[in-house]
Amino acid sequence: MGGKALYRIIECLTQEHDYFLVAAAALVCVVGSCLSVLIARRLIFATERRKYIQLGLGSLISGATIWSTHFIAMLAYEPGFEHGYEPVLTGVSLAVGVLGVLATNTFLAFGKHRWVFVIAGAGFGLTVSAMHYVGMAAFLLPGQINWNVTSVAASIILGTTLGAAAYHRIVYPVTRYCWMGGAFLMVLAICSMHFTGMSAITLELSPFIIVPEQVLPDGLLGLLVSAVTVIILVVGFASISLEVNLEREAIEQLEHTAHHDRLTGLPNRLELSRQTKVFDKTLADFGGMNAATFTIDLDLFKEINDLHGNAAGDEILRKIGQRLGALCGEGEFIARSGGDEFVALKLNIVTIEEAKAFAERISNQISIPVDIAGLSTIVRASIGGATTLDDGRKTSDLLQKSDLALYRAKLDPETDVCFYHPDMDEQSRERLLMIADLRQAASRGEFELVYQLQNDLVSLEPVGFEVLIRWNHPEKGRISPSEFIPLAEETGLIREIGLWVLRTACLQAATWTKPFSVAVNVAPQQLVQPAFLEHLSDILMESRLPPERLELEVTEASIIEDQASTIEVMHKIKKMGVRIAMDDFGTGYSSLATLQAFPFDKIKIDQSFIQDVDTDHQRAAIVRSTLLLGDALKIPVLAEGVEQLKELNFLRSENCTYVQGYYFGKPLSLEDIQPIVRAVDAKKVS
Ligand code: C2E
Ligand code: MG
Ligand code: MG
């Protein structure tokens, strides 16, 4: 395009136009382009039905924008002679604009490659040109239009290039404001095409050509264009705001799902950590404000799940979650932090009593009975709490301290709510050290087995031994199993330790010359270990101990945990010839059911019922009924913890079969039992 052509464009813009209408054309072009770009961006990402709706709307708005811009600019053009517009071609030019954009935007909507989008943009530029020249064909004047081909070509090239650039910006934005760049390029494509196109014409007036009467005069065209412009604006803004609302709703929905637990509807861990920060900020901003944190854990939830099934467990969690959610007032927050664990935060407490009252409210809500398959089930919770009154001002520290307090509340079945006390730190430190030591104990050879005699109650002769583990700690001395077995169970170390006990006991017992039976305690976690049966048979083979000399002591906890599979394992153990005793009978909560579920070889009445059984009527009644039960089920009964002769006599009068306890002596070391287990050998020698 030479200097003359450029001069023509400037001349065309400055000398033959009504500036007010030029400004109106520019405004319609800018607003329409912005709407077109915003819809085009949504069109790329929309799916299914929304994609087609965006495609239709976008084409209507972009096509009408091009058309309106052109005709407002035409209205702004003041040729200074009578003129008009041929209605059919005017209409066709609108259709060309809309359908052209529909075609190019189809590429935009479904294209996958960069060049497809660039072609779509070029197509947009071509549409602008096509619409322009069809529109110009509708322009009627008393004369004829002469076209400068170079300028026409230049207008088409400008429109196509800028159109391609505009679409490229829309599809590949670098910042979130790139849509504005896209809109700017689109405005440029439309305007530069139009004015370059206009500069391509020279008018040759002729007195022989008359403008027919049945044409659209400027006024009517003005009305038509205004109507189309209003439609663009209304439809465009309505659809964009509808889209924005839909997007906001979708984002809010996603946000809610990401921050809430699906089962209970309570806030989840993510939301908890967000709230923790809010809490910290509030506490920092208001120095005098106090707050409390709570960690909550449902008691025996695993057992409920095992007994009633996971669906029932879920139902309980759902109901409890609903209640806890409803309980929260201003400044209170409760989240589900894990399986059966919840965390609560409370702002604005003045005294510890207020914190306690909140914990009580939580506890009360949890323990409202839940109906599960027609059964009313009560779930209790242990709650640990900490407050800024005594325990620091950082929420994460408070939560750690409520965790420690929760651990304490869990240990004590009588206490539901327990608040942090500095002593707990020391205790938890000790506990961690003990766990670390326990991990090493087996490899350092710190474990030892002691043997407690089991006697026949008629002859009082020994019939066997119960093997009990001892931990000889290098600094703390001998530690009782009641202290470290629970820790070993909690950490899972019991599997390894239990196996060591079983192997050592079998190897030692196999060397005895008298065939005494040997009873080994087996923890619940050992029985559910998939390789337990294999280990057991390996140990029997390795030690060559006849299986009938081995007795495994299991507690009810084993059976409650995973009834079906544990009972299956126990049947397999029995098939191997190994006997199984029910330990600590009477301390569990479903003793009778357990005895019916599996044919035990022995019942061991817990020592708590034996102490003073001769004078305590209640204990006597329990012991009597257990003996009757054993008699009915043909299972021999052993009484544990016999310390005094009177207890022994009572048991003998009630026809108990075996006894075990300090009356016959404290548990003995391996060395000390040698005279008993090797008695036959000793006689032989003498
Ligand atoms: P348990 O299986 O019921 O073992 C009997 C406990 O009662 C032993 O305590 C024993 O020393 C004690 N005892 C026996 N007769 C009397 C008596 O006349 N009076 C009193 N006051 N106590 C008596 P110990 O050895 O401290 O074991 C405690 C518990 O630790 C055991 O209870 C058992 O549950 C667990 N345990 C011990 N060794 C092992 C083991 O090798 N593996 C597993 N899993 N648990 C073990
Ligand atoms: Mg035992
Ligand atoms: Mg026992």
Side-chain angles (χ1 to χ4, degrees):
M1 194 172 17
K4 200 170 159 210
L6 192 62
Y7 170 75
R8 278 286 299 149
I9 297 175
I10 296 165
E11 188 189 51
C12 155
L13 257 173
T14 54
Q15 290 183 1
E16 297 158 359
H17 283 82
D18 171 339
Y19 296 124
F20 174 74
L21 284 175
V22 169
L27 185 68
V28 169
C29 187
V30 169
V31 175
S33 297
C34 286
L35 290 174
S36 302
V37 168
L38 289 175
I39 292 183
R41 276 163 63 101
R42 286 179 164 74
L43 168 68
I44 300 168
F45 300 110
T47 51
E48 296 167 13
R49 218 162 59 99
R50 274 183 56 219
K51 207 168 187 83
Y52 294 101
I53 294 174
Q54 301 283 358
L55 185 60
L57 277 176
S59 316
L60 202 66
I61 289 168
S62 304
T65 300
I66 303 166
W67 186 83
S68 303
T69 307
H70 172 85
F71 279 100
I72 299 173
M74 285 308 287
L75 287 171
Y77 181 53
E78 288 166 352
F81 48 78
E82 192 190 340
H83 61 276
Y85 297 87
E86 200 283 313
V88 176
L89 277 176
T90 306
V92 169
S93 68
L94 176 60
V96 166
V98 173
L99 295 177
V101 179
L102 180 66
T104 57
N105 276 8
T106 306
F107 282 98
L108 190 65
F110 301 103
K112 296 267 184 295
H113 300 286
R114 196 175 280 252
W115 59 266
V116 177
F117 300 127
V118 172
I119 289 180
F124 177 83
L126 278 180
T127 304
V128 177
S129 308
M131 185 269 124
H132 177 87
Y133 290 110
V134 174
M136 283 313 288
F139 186 58
L140 300 175
L141 70 163
Q144 68 173 37
I145 300 174
N146 293 325
W147 297 92
N148 176 330
V149 181
T150 319
S151 294
V152 169
S155 73
I156 296 175
I157 292 170
L158 262 177
T160 338
T161 318
L162 288 167
Y167 271 45
H168 189 271
R169 202 80 311 236
I170 298 170
V171 183
Y172 299 105
V174 191
T175 70
R176 53 196 293 223
Y177 301 107
C178 273
W179 71 269
M180 291 185 192
F184 176 72
L185 287 167
M186 191 178 270
V187 170
L188 220 55
I190 298 171
C191 293
S192 61
M193 190 277 130
H194 176 86
F195 290 108
T196 314
M198 290 305 285
S199 74
I201 59 175
T202 39
L203 307 175
E204 202 176 293
L205 297 180
S206 158
F208 304 110
I209 302 175
I210 296 160
V211 178
E213 282 197 356
Q214 295 301 320
V215 296
L216 287 173
D218 272 7
L220 198 55
L221 179 70
L223 270 180
L224 197 66
V225 174
S226 306
V228 171
T229 309
V230 168
I231 290 174
I232 305 175
L233 294 180
V234 170
V235 173
F237 279 114
S239 76
I240 293 274
S241 73
L242 199 74
E243 271 292 308
V244 168
N245 274 348
L246 275 177
E247 269 167 30
R248 192 181 308 132
E249 266 172 36
I251 290 170
E252 277 171 8
Q253 184 73 38
L254 275 178
E255 275 263 302
H256 188 272
T257 318
H259 288 94
H260 286 77
D261 166 50
R262 215 165 39 87
L263 182 66
T264 60
L266 284 178
N268 60 13
R269 265 191 169 285
L270 197 66
E271 181 60 16
L272 173 64
S273 71
R274 196 158 81 171
Q275 282 297 327
T276 307
K277 288 187 192 111
V278 174
F279 238 64
D280 271 336
K281 188 167 178 333
T282 316
L283 287 175
D285 290 349
F286 302 93
M289 180 182 282
N290 280 303
T293 66
F294 306 86
T295 27
I296 304 149
D297 192 283
L298 304 184
D299 296 340
L300 295 174
F301 187 71
K302 196 177 174 314
E303 282 73 5
I304 293 174
N305 246 342
D306 290 343
L307 273 176
H308 301 286
N310 285 346
D314 281 358
E315 179 61 15
I316 288 176
L317 282 174
R318 212 172 52 76
K319 287 249 165 72
I320 289 178
Q322 274 171 2
R323 289 185 207 144
L324 294 183
L327 161 154
C328 284
E330 179 86 24
E332 295 167 351
F333 170 85
I334 301 183
R336 181 179 175 208
S337 53
D340 62 343
E341 286 164 27
F342 302 84
V343 166
L345 308 174
K346 180 173 170 60
L347 271 179
N348 258 335
I349 56 154
V350 179
T351 60
I352 185 92
E353 265 57 46
E354 285 177 49
K356 280 183 185 158
F358 183 58
E360 289 295 333
R361 260 166 66 209
I362 295 176
S363 174
N364 291 342
Q365 283 300 321
I366 293 178
S367 53
I368 298 174
V370 180
D371 260 359
I372 297 296
L375 276 175
S376 165
T377 310
I378 294 183
V379 182
R380 298 208 161 274
S382 298
I383 303 178
T387 68
T388 52
L389 297 168
D390 302 308
D391 314 322
R393 290 194 69 81
K394 251 192 108 208
T395 317
S396 54
D397 291 348
L398 290 183
L399 282 172
Q400 229 171 23
K401 288 176 177 170
S402 13
D403 261 349
L404 274 181
L406 168 68
Y407 179 70
R408 172 56 54 87
K410 276 239 159 260
L411 284 183
D412 185 355
E414 300 295 309
T415 317
D416 285 349
V417 183
C418 181
F419 276 81
Y420 171 78
H421 188 278
D423 280 356
M424 292 174 187
D425 269 337
E426 182 55 29
Q427 283 155 5
S428 97
R429 216 175 60 84
E430 269 184 17
R431 202 174 144 258
L432 288 176
L433 285 178
M434 183 112 133
I435 290 172
D437 285 350
L438 196 56
R439 267 181 219 289
Q440 314 267 334
S443 61
R444 289 185 185 157
E446 291 168 8
F447 289 132
E448 183 195 337
L449 294 185
V450 292
Y451 294 83
Q452 176 154 47
L453 270 174
Q454 297 182 326
N455 297 60
D456 182 281
L457 195 47
V458 180
S459 64
L460 295 186
E461 285 296 314
V463 289
F465 297 90
E466 177 177 2
V467 181
L468 298 161
I469 192 169
R470 296 291 178 262
W471 181 9
N472 298 314
H473 193 278
E475 287 147 31
K476 295 191 182 114
R478 193 166 249 200
I479 303 179
S480 146
S482 353
E483 238 180 283
F484 70 85
I485 291 290
L487 274 188
E489 288 187 342
E490 230 175 86
T491 51
L493 285 169
I494 190 67
R495 297 191 203 109
E496 215 181 294
I497 298 174
L499 219 53
W500 178 87
V501 173
L502 189 63
R503 170 173 285 114
T504 316
C506 290
L507 285 170
Q508 292 180 355
T511 64
W512 304 340
T513 41
K514 266 195 156 185
F516 284 123
S517 74
V518 58
V520 177
N521 292 289
V522 174
Q525 282 178 35
Q526 286 180 268
L527 276 187
V528 294
Q529 213 181 346
F532 182 73
L533 287 169
E534 223 175 290
H535 289 316
L536 179 62
S537 91
D538 286 352
I539 289 171
L540 286 172
M541 294 251 280
E542 183 190 343
S543 63
R544 292 171 185 275
L545 180 77
E548 53 287 354
R549 281 184 58 198
L550 180 63
E551 186 171 83
L552 301 184
E553 293 192 3
V554 302
T555 58
E556 273 172 298
S558 294
I559 297 161
I560 299 294
E561 271 196 12
D562 185 354
Q563 186 143 13
S565 78
T566 313
I567 287 185
E568 201 185 311
V569 171
M570 289 188 351
H571 274 293
K572 287 185 179 154
I573 294 174
K574 263 191 99 151
K575 269 213 182 113
M576 289 163 75
V578 175
R579 282 168 298 131
I580 300 183
M582 153 110 291
D583 202 358
D584 303 344
F585 185 80
T587 55
Y589 51 88
S590 62
S591 307
L592 192 56
T594 320
L595 278 184
Q596 276 179 325
F598 185 79
F600 285 94
D601 298 292
K602 191 181 277 172
I603 297 172
K604 296 186 76 179
I605 310 181
D606 191 70
Q607 50 179 291
S608 54
F609 303 107
I610 305 303
Q611 199 183 8
D612 300 327
V613 68
D614 52 313
T615 49
D616 186 315
H617 297 304
Q618 209 171 5
R619 288 178 194 171
I622 293 172
V623 170
R624 262 189 211 111
S625 56
T626 309
L627 289 167
L628 281 174
L629 198 65
D631 196 36
L633 295 171
K634 304 272 175 292
I635 306 174
V637 177
L638 179 148
E640 284 190 86
V642 180
E643 294 186 1
Q644 303 175 46
L645 181 63
K646 49 190 188 130
E647 292 159 356
L648 186 85
N649 286 336
F650 173 87
L651 291 164
R652 206 203 308 253
S653 68
E654 295 295 334
N655 293 325
C656 180
T657 321
Y658 303 110
V659 276
Q660 166 185 336
Y662 293 171
Y663 177 78
F664 297 94
K666 295 245 171 133
L668 300 166
S669 68
L670 181 64
E671 201 183 312
D672 291 341
I673 59 164
Q674 292 310 312
I676 308 170
V677 297
R678 295 193 185 275
V680 176
D681 279 1
K683 265 186 202 153
K684 264 187 190 165
V685 170
S686 61

